[in-house]
Amino acid sequence: MSEREQQKFELARLLDRSGDRVRAVLNILVESPYFYASDDQDLFFFLRRHRREFTEFFTAYYGWTLLMDGKCARVYKSEWYNKAVNPASRTMFNFTRRDECLAFMMLLEFYEHQLEENGMTADDKENLRFRFGDLLAHACRRFGECFPDKQESYSGDVVRSKILKPIMPELEKYRFVKKIKPPDDLDAREDDLIYEALPALYHYNGSALGRVVGDLAAAPIAGGEVQ
């Protein structure tokens, strides 16, 4: 029996032995972009324990890659097969406008800076939490550095209302951040809203992306989208 045949046999045996949990894990992995250990620790540990079998399943039947660390798992597909569905109609995280792309990279920079300043790592039990106002201050400074001759176009109010506020719901939807609901008796200002940085942010190399911020800022755009 070849190694590939042996791996398929092990997956079939796992399905026969723990069918309910196998099906639950497979569904969770395709129901949202990321599967976090905090979503369901029992199923996450089951996936980690049988990572090889699940990896082989996604590779053999879908051509997908299973990516996993201590807090987060996801499946990644490198090719879109239904060519009739154009990119704009695909349900996927994909910022295309320049300022959106820049703001996402600035979030990654901010995340890495905050980890360092707070003496934390992505592997810590608790995820980093941050104030929206602190992210806003970082983004305003970075936009000012990228566009020194366009200070009015990237004022604090513009960065807040036209750039950051519109992308935060998308970042919540795709599970990069989570807004922490303030206590009912607390009337929190917008700048004091607390967000939790979810483990998916660590799957992106903020330092590497930060090095292309200048290039992206200088890139030509048409209709607001990066060319």
Side-chain angles (χ1 to χ4, degrees):
M1 182 182 295
S2 69
E3 182 179 357
R4 174 60 63 86
E5 290 172 336
Q6 177 64 27
Q7 290 172 340
K8 288 184 177 180
F9 172 74
E10 291 175 359
L11 180 63
R13 187 169 58 182
L14 179 63
L15 182 62
D16 184 59
R17 202 171 61 238
S18 305
D20 288 347
R21 287 200 284 181
V22 170
R23 283 185 285 272
V25 167
L26 292 175
N27 276 278
I28 286 175
L29 283 169
V30 298
E31 284 174 349
S32 68
Y34 296 95
F35 174 25
Y36 294 129
S38 57
D39 295 340
D40 189 311
Q41 288 195 348
D42 179 62
L43 289 177
F44 190 87
F45 292 152
F46 179 79
L47 169 61
R48 188 167 65 182
R49 187 163 62 250
H50 298 287
R51 181 174 181 175
R52 187 179 67 172
E53 292 94 325
F54 283 100
T55 296
E56 172 57 28
F57 170 80
F58 283 112
T59 299
Y61 292 99
Y62 290 92
W64 296 355
T65 302
L66 174 63
L67 304 173
M68 189 173 191
D69 58 31
K71 287 185 174 183
C72 178
R74 66 172 295 200
V75 287
Y76 171 75
K77 59 178 293 181
S78 59
E79 182 178 355
W80 193 275
Y81 285 84
N82 190 346
K83 308 303 182 184
V85 180
N86 63 47
S89 301
R90 298 172 187 172
T91 303
M92 56 188 295
F93 174 71
N94 185 31
F95 288 148
T96 58
R97 293 182 176 273
R98 183 183 65 186
D99 288 350
E100 293 174 339
C101 297
L102 285 169
F104 180 62
M105 292 182 185
M106 292 170 190
L107 168 63
L108 296 175
E109 287 182 334
F110 173 77
Y111 170 64
E112 292 194 349
H113 292 164
Q114 287 293 299
L115 285 178
E116 184 176 351
E117 288 181 8
N118 288 278
M120 298 178 65
T121 72
D123 295 326
D124 287 354
K125 182 178 180 181
E126 300 297 329
N127 295 324
L128 172 76
R129 293 188 175 189
F130 62 89
R131 291 175 62 254
F132 177 80
D134 293 333
L135 172 62
L136 174 63
H138 176 81
C140 287
R141 178 177 63 80
R142 293 294 279 125
F143 273 110
E145 293 171 353
C146 291
F147 304 101
D149 57 338
K150 298 181 180 179
Q151 295 297 320
E152 290 188 6
S153 299
Y154 292 98
S155 66
D157 287 342
V158 171
V159 173
R160 177 201 303 272
S161 62
K162 302 296 185 181
I163 302 176
L164 283 186
K165 283 186 67 175
I167 72 168
M168 296 307 287
E170 286 294 296
L171 296 173
E172 290 184 73
K173 174 182 176 180
Y174 288 99
R175 309 196 75 194
F176 289 101
V177 299
K178 176 183 178 182
K179 186 189 295 182
I180 305 301
K181 185 178 183 299
D184 293 336
D185 60 347
L186 179 63
D187 185 20
R189 297 184 307 117
E190 184 178 62
D191 284 6
D192 292 326
L193 290 176
I194 302 298
Y195 285 87
E196 181 177 347
L198 298 179
L201 287 176
Y202 195 64
H203 283 218
Y204 290 78
N205 188 327
S207 297
L209 288 173
R211 290 194 290 271
V212 302
V213 167
D215 293 337
L216 183 59
I221 59 174
E225 296 192 356
V226 179
Q227 298 299 296

